Amino acid sequence: MIRFQNVTKKYGEKTVVNDLNFEIEQGEIFVLIGPSGCGKTTTLKMINRLIPLTTGTIFFKDKMISEYPEFEMRWDIGYVLQQIGLFPHMTIEENIEQVPLMKGWDKDKIDARIDELLEMAGLDSKTYRKRFPSELSGGQQQRVGVVRALAADPPVILMDEPFSALDPITRVRLQDDLIELQSRIKKTIVFVTHDINEALKLGDRICLLNAGEIEQLGTPDEFINNPASDFVRDFLGDIDTFLLNQVKLKDVIKDVPPLEYHDNVDYPVVSGDSYLSEVYEELANASPILVKSGMELRLLKRKDVFRILADSKRGDAS
Amino acid sequence: MNELINTFSARSDQLLWALIEHIQLSFVSLIIAAVIAIPLGIWLTKTQKLAEIIINITAVLQTIPSLAILGLMIPLFGIGKVPAVIALVIYALLPILRNTYTGIKGVDASLLEAADGIGMNPMKRLFKVELPLAMSVIMAGVRTAMVLIVGTATLVALIGAGGLGDLILLGIDRNNSELILLGAIPAAILAITLDFVLRVIQNLSYKRIVQTLVAMLLIMLLVSLIPFMSNRGSDISIAGKLGTEPSIITNMYKILIEEETDYTVRVRDGLGPTSFVFNALESDEIDGYLEFTGTVLMDIVDSPPEEYDAEAVYEQARDAILESHDLALLEPMQFNNTYGLAVKREFAEEHNLESISDLGSIESQIVAGFTAEFNDREDGYPAIQETYGLEFNEVFTMEQQMRFTAIESGDVNLMEAWATDAALVEYDLVVLEDDRDVFPPYQGAPLFKQEFITEFPEIEEALNQLSGLITDEEMQEMNYRVQFEDEAPYDVAYEFLSEAGLIDE
């Protein structure tokens, strides 16, 4: 869908992004992550040409982005900002309809689209359409921000640290909703963040940048299981928290074979969708516990948990 | 207060017309200023380097005193509404320009990024995001400009553009506070009202603001065209400086020309000082005006009189101005409106004063009130000091009508005066004889372009009927009737001409 080929960006003598080569596949959430100044936002903004590249080529649907007309191209690339950037003098409805209007949609089609998207984002259309952004909470505003990006049904959405300005609870909720939404709409999403937990949670693939170069590109599993360098390992540093709070039990024990007979087993049963941190109590009182996912039950023992934690610390959790 | 109400009811027609003119001048200027400054301000936000320079230029323009701008306008654009509007526009540029610039610059960068990011082109971004968000700041600038314009517009009466300033200037000239208030109060109310209206508009939504402004623009354009068109229609226009005397005499010119020829004459009296009217003549804005022989020599051709005989001065002035400016100074009337030094009658009697020389014995007791002009000009106080060897105890410079108030209250005991000034009668002053001929004669005579006189010899003939007529006393009396008894200059002029047998009843 989007392919970077020898892309370099320099400001004067300073190289911000150096010779990037990668391809973003259709329908995946592709996370760009890295410390401040690593060039992740620059990389994102080069895709919709908010920042011009110095050398190299970016292909969008197999055509060089420079061959598209600048403004029209952006109608097919949704854009969500960290600062949300809803126009304060426009109602929610007016904010959302800007791109469809520019694309020349008729009024009825736009109306129906606004209803559909607001409902999809969990906002009652009747209640919110005519409100102004300032009348909404930060979380609601960013939901509208995502809706605005989706308005004209673009194949690609760029999200520049969209949740980082929100409070932790709202952030987690919007992350969950994004995963839910993506399972239905299957857009190509390029997502910039500096939060490794968010990257591991959302990303189908993660691209870790360091000083303008790719340090590692792979799935969350590959990051956890095969960190490519000490830099990656350091960056993952906080992985415990991630494992405890973001990884579901069914993923933790997916390598354990399911029990064949379980009619008489008298252990507590927990859902495979629970997080490790949610089963501390059960683990303390009774070990092992049974993890149920679908029709299958698997045994999870205390020592397995500690092994996983120990492995992840070493960066070698096999 | 009662007098104010009387003045109001007596002049309500004049007030209404002046008010309409004032609104038209203000609106036209404001609209032109906005049409220039808003796009310019927008453009400047895109060209960082020029912005500083251009905003500074408009700031400098604004520091030029309004009177100076009006004075500078005349040689370039003449007199009347056009130069007035140009001057007002110059004043209104800065607040609108600066607020447009800062308003647009102040739009949150993330909103601009959002606009770019969703694919708005620069035009769309400007009209859908930047302008709506900057609108309240821009409107605040427009309001500031509006108040500035309404205030400054009271001055453009000096160059014949009309408006409420006409009433104020007339009031100052006639020493009539009611008339001043009659001009000043509506000007203040107008400023407050318009500010209020603009504030209401400012709080409307962006779309409504644009709609309202466009509607107002159209209405004002229609209304504004009327006075600009109605100015035409007279064949000849003759002007006079500020004061009752030029008003009366120019009306006599009008009556005589219309009696003797088929031309119609437009009287444009109450214009500013000599330089304003003279420049208007030079730039063909007017065809002629009432000038004084002494002024021609001292102020225009800048050659001191060789003799102090009235006729010699006239001839010298006539020849000099014909040669240097190709202007024709027609034959003068009899009265000699020269400078003099005046004191209260009882003061003169107390100290036995008849001539300026008599002041020598009491010079240490003299506290003089002079106009700034008299205190400075060569044939004014400096000439007195030199010729008579006088050195007064103290000299205050003040506005000309204020001097009468000052001498009445005893704050000063001597002032300069014009020989035919009606206020001399009103305040019971005597003029001391200029026994050493310091002041040149100032006889009134019509001043035209020579080519105009060559083309219309019948006009010279008509005006020369006044040659040698009107004594100092007659002129002073007519001034008195206009200034203190509120008679119309035209009626006074008509009556004199009729009694002199120059026109048929």
Side-chain angles (χ1 to χ4, degrees):
Chain A
M1 182 59 90
I2 297 163
R3 186 154 54 87
F4 277 62
Q5 189 177 305
N6 307 111
V7 173
T8 297
K9 174 67 190 175
K10 289 181 180 178
Y11 289 110
E13 287 300 297
K14 190 175 183 306
T15 303
V16 184
V17 167
N18 190 21
D19 196 28
L20 289 188
N21 288 286
F22 60 83
E23 181 155 8
I24 300 167
E25 306 292 343
Q26 174 151 11
E28 71 171 339
I29 298 185
F30 185 90
V31 176
L32 286 163
I33 191 169
S36 302
C38 70
K40 55 188 189 295
T41 295
T42 304
T43 304
L44 181 85
K45 288 182 181 175
M46 285 193 291
I47 297 173
N48 66 355
R49 292 168 66 186
L50 285 179
I51 295 178
L53 37 82
T54 309
T55 57
T57 320
I58 299 174
F59 294 92
F60 173 48
K61 292 196 276 198
D62 293 326
K63 204 164 119 182
M64 289 198 284
I65 54 167
S66 56
E67 287 177 356
Y68 290 91
E70 183 180 358
F71 303 107
E72 285 84 339
M73 185 188 79
R74 293 182 187 147
W75 302 345
D76 285 331
I77 303 178
Y79 188 53
V80 183
L81 293 82
Q82 178 182 2
Q83 306 90 339
I84 303 174
L86 295 181
F87 304 122
H89 60 292
M90 295 183 188
T91 60
I92 300 308
E93 153 184 278
E94 287 168 334
N95 265 287
I96 299 171
E97 72 188 3
Q98 290 307 316
V99 179
L101 280 178
M102 287 188 282
K103 287 186 96 169
W105 289 19
D106 63 53
K107 192 70 195 150
D108 292 343
K109 188 178 174 191
I110 295 176
D111 260 4
R113 180 69 178 165
I114 293 172
D115 283 339
E116 178 195 348
L117 286 172
L118 282 177
E119 298 299 338
M120 202 189 278
L123 294 168
D124 179 46
S125 182
K126 274 201 181 53
T127 315
Y128 290 101
R129 280 183 78 132
K130 300 286 181 193
R131 293 207 181 164
F132 284 92
S134 58
E135 299 171 279
L136 273 56
S137 71
Q140 288 173 327
Q141 287 185 23
Q142 192 56 299
R143 283 168 198 272
V144 175
V146 174
V147 166
R148 177 173 69 181
L150 287 168
D153 205 15
V156 174
I157 316 270
L158 307 182
M159 304 179 100
D160 185 9
E161 305 202 30
F163 306 142
S164 65
L166 304 173
D167 67 85
I169 296 170
T170 312
R171 188 186 313 147
V172 169
R173 195 170 302 146
L174 262 73
Q175 289 166 351
D176 293 342
D177 289 355
L178 180 65
I179 292 169
E180 214 276 312
L181 185 69
Q182 171 68 350
S183 70
R184 286 194 274 159
I185 58 177
K186 287 291 173 203
K187 299 288 181 191
T188 305
I189 297 177
V190 187
F191 193 106
V192 168
T193 183
H194 60 263
D195 175 356
I196 184 65
N197 291 325
E198 188 170 61
L200 292 167
K201 177 175 176 182
L202 296 179
D204 292 312
R205 286 194 302 153
I206 299 169
C207 175
L208 175 61
L209 293 174
N210 178 26
E213 299 191 13
I214 297 177
E215 198 73 32
Q216 182 169 358
L217 197 168
T219 63
D221 273 349
E222 287 166 353
F223 265 78
I224 292 165
N225 299 334
N226 298 306
S229 64
D230 287 345
F231 178 83
V232 179
R233 212 166 281 125
D234 283 348
F235 200 79
L236 288 170
D238 237 6
I239 201 72
D240 296 354
T241 335
F242 172 73
L243 276 178
L244 295 175
N245 292 316
Q246 310 277 345
V247 179
K248 292 176 175 168
L249 289 180
K250 62 181 180 193
D251 296 327
V252 173
I253 58 165
K254 60 179 184 286
D255 294 336
V256 177
L259 294 181
E260 287 180 23
Y261 312 101
H262 45 74
D263 291 344
N264 299 321
V265 183
D266 189 20
Y267 297 126
V269 180
V270 296
S271 159
D273 287 326
S274 313
Y275 299 114
L276 264 178
S277 58
E278 291 174 307
V279 295
Y280 289 162
E281 180 114 7
E282 285 80 0
L283 282 169
N285 295 333
S287 179
I289 55 175
L290 285 172
V291 176
K292 185 171 193 285
S293 69
M295 291 305 294
E296 296 173 346
L297 284 173
R298 288 180 175 83
L299 270 180
L300 177 67
K301 297 170 186 154
R302 244 179 264 165
K303 66 172 187 186
D304 295 333
V305 174
F306 283 104
R307 168 145 307 121
I308 292 163
L309 290 175
D311 289 350
S312 79
K313 249 326 180 232
R314 284 207 314 275
D316 179 28
S318 48
Chain B
M1 194 63 202
N2 268 339
E3 281 192 49
L4 185 59
I5 293 168
N6 290 340
T7 314
F8 173 74
S9 49
R11 291 182 183 269
S12 56
D13 282 354
Q14 195 184 356
L15 173 62
L16 182 68
W17 180 241
L19 187 64
I20 291 175
E21 254 181 349
H22 206 89
I23 295 175
Q24 286 163 343
L25 280 170
S26 306
F27 258 82
V28 171
S29 311
L30 185 71
I31 287 168
I32 295 176
V35 166
I36 295 173
I38 294 178
L40 186 62
I42 292 169
W43 179 65
L44 288 184
T45 59
K46 317 290 174 204
T47 49
Q48 209 69 329
K49 281 178 192 160
L50 271 180
E52 192 88 342
I53 299 169
I54 292 191
I55 289 178
N56 280 333
I57 289 175
T58 57
V60 167
L61 283 179
Q62 187 143 55
T63 61
I64 304 175
S66 29
L67 262 178
I69 288 207
L70 291 178
L72 291 171
M73 283 294 133
I74 297 172
L76 297 173
F77 305 102
I79 59 170
K81 293 199 161 56
V82 174
V85 165
I86 294 173
L88 293 176
V89 165
I90 288 176
Y91 267 89
L93 281 180
L94 178 67
I96 304 182
L97 183 68
R98 193 160 50 192
N99 279 42
T100 305
Y101 180 79
T102 45
I104 289 185
K105 276 279 164 192
V107 173
D108 192 334
S110 70
L111 295 177
L112 300 183
E113 194 187 315
D116 290 339
I118 68 171
M120 287 186 173
N121 61 32
M123 267 297 157
K124 233 185 182 70
R125 181 177 103 169
L126 177 66
F127 284 102
K128 290 219 151 189
V129 179
E130 290 172 289
L131 275 181
L133 290 172
M135 194 46 91
S136 64
V137 181
I138 296 176
M139 285 299 290
V142 171
R143 279 168 55 199
T144 311
M146 177 91 252
V147 174
L148 263 177
I149 285 180
V150 171
T152 312
T154 53
L155 283 176
V156 300
L158 281 172
I159 57 170
L164 290 166
D166 268 350
L167 293 172
I168 297 175
L169 286 181
L170 203 61
I172 293 174
D173 185 45
R174 309 268 167 93
N175 198 18
N176 180 336
S177 337
E178 284 76 35
L179 214 44
I180 298 177
L181 288 177
L182 199 63
I185 294 174
I189 295 177
L190 184 63
I192 294 169
T193 312
L194 290 175
D195 189 51
F196 176 77
V197 169
L198 287 176
R199 192 162 41 187
V200 170
I201 294 177
Q202 180 181 338
N203 291 334
L204 297 175
S205 76
Y206 172 63
K207 272 185 198 157
R208 284 252 176 282
I209 291 182
V210 174
Q211 287 166 352
T212 317
L213 289 183
V214 168
M216 279 169 68
L217 190 95
L218 288 178
I219 295 170
M220 285 319 299
L221 271 183
L222 286 178
V223 179
S224 309
L225 289 177
I226 299 165
F228 285 104
M229 290 171 169
S230 67
N231 277 356
R232 311 277 167 254
S234 299
D235 305 325
I236 298 170
S237 93
I238 297 185
K241 300 175 209 174
L242 198 57
T244 56
E245 193 165 298
S247 286
I248 297 167
I249 302 295
T250 15
N251 273 295
M252 288 188 188
Y253 292 167
K254 173 187 168 72
I255 295 165
L256 286 172
I257 291 172
E258 291 181 350
E259 173 86 6
E260 301 288 321
T261 72
D262 292 332
Y263 303 117
T264 55
V265 176
R266 177 160 182 242
V267 171
R268 307 181 77 170
D269 52 356
L271 292 184
T274 302
S275 62
F276 282 25
V277 195
F278 181 75
N279 280 320
L281 177 65
E282 289 257 276
S283 59
D284 284 325
E285 274 293 316
I286 55 172
D287 298 308
Y289 74 96
L290 168 67
E291 191 47 283
F292 293 83
T293 55
T295 311
V296 170
L297 285 185
M298 302 302 296
D299 293 333
I300 300 177
V301 299
D302 199 19
S303 67
E306 287 150 11
E307 303 175 51
Y308 278 70
D309 170 60
E311 196 170 333
V313 167
Y314 164 67
E315 282 165 8
Q316 190 190 340
R318 180 194 61 196
D319 297 344
I321 202 164
L322 180 65
E323 192 182 327
S324 60
H325 293 85
D326 204 23
L327 297 176
L329 187 65
L330 305 187
E331 290 174 22
M333 291 161 285
Q334 185 191 342
F335 69 88
N336 177 4
N337 192 5
T338 185
Y339 277 120
L341 293 184
V343 294
K344 293 288 284 182
R345 185 175 303 280
E346 60 260 39
F347 187 80
E349 281 163 8
E350 185 186 335
H351 298 283
N352 246 338
L353 302 174
E354 280 180 1
S355 65
I356 297 178
S357 303
D358 296 340
L359 289 170
S361 57
I362 56 161
E363 61 180 330
S364 62
Q365 295 176 40
I366 297 293
V367 178
F370 292 148
T371 59
E373 185 183 352
F374 181 81
N375 194 42
D376 180 62
R377 57 186 296 157
E378 260 177 71
D379 62 339
Y381 184 45
I384 301 267
Q385 287 172 299
E386 196 186 340
T387 310
Y388 289 96
L390 291 171
E391 195 63 53
F392 298 141
N393 182 24
E394 203 166 356
V395 172
F396 293 105
T397 61
M398 52 185 87
E399 199 276 325
Q400 54 171 344
Q401 290 300 331
M402 293 297 297
R403 295 167 309 151
F404 290 102
T405 323
I407 203 167
E408 185 71 10
S409 67
D411 290 330
V412 302
N413 50 26
L414 178 124
M415 59 181 276
E416 99 271 23
W418 296 95
T420 56
D421 196 329
L424 296 177
V425 180
E426 179 71 12
Y427 293 99
D428 198 20
L429 301 171
V430 293
V431 177
L432 303 177
E433 193 196 336
D434 177 19
D435 50 338
R436 291 195 193 168
D437 283 340
V438 168
F439 303 122
Y442 285 77
Q443 286 184 295
L447 184 64
F448 285 89
K449 283 207 166 171
Q450 179 57 45
E451 53 193 277
F452 181 87
I453 290 299
T454 315
E455 194 178 340
F456 305 102
E458 62 271 37
I459 286 179
E460 179 175 13
E461 246 170 70
L463 295 183
N464 276 347
Q465 294 177 88
L466 279 177
S467 166
L469 287 188
I470 313 182
T471 62
D472 284 8
E473 290 72 25
E474 284 168 333
M475 193 66 242
Q476 194 175 37
E477 191 226 325
M478 287 192 281
N479 281 335
Y480 189 86
R481 286 166 58 190
V482 173
Q483 184 168 357
F484 294 100
E485 295 176 346
D486 214 17
E487 289 191 47
Y490 182 89
D491 297 342
V492 173
Y494 194 89
E495 197 182 311
F496 178 86
L497 293 175
S498 159
E499 277 170 13
L502 291 177
I503 49 170
D504 303 325
E505 286 292 335

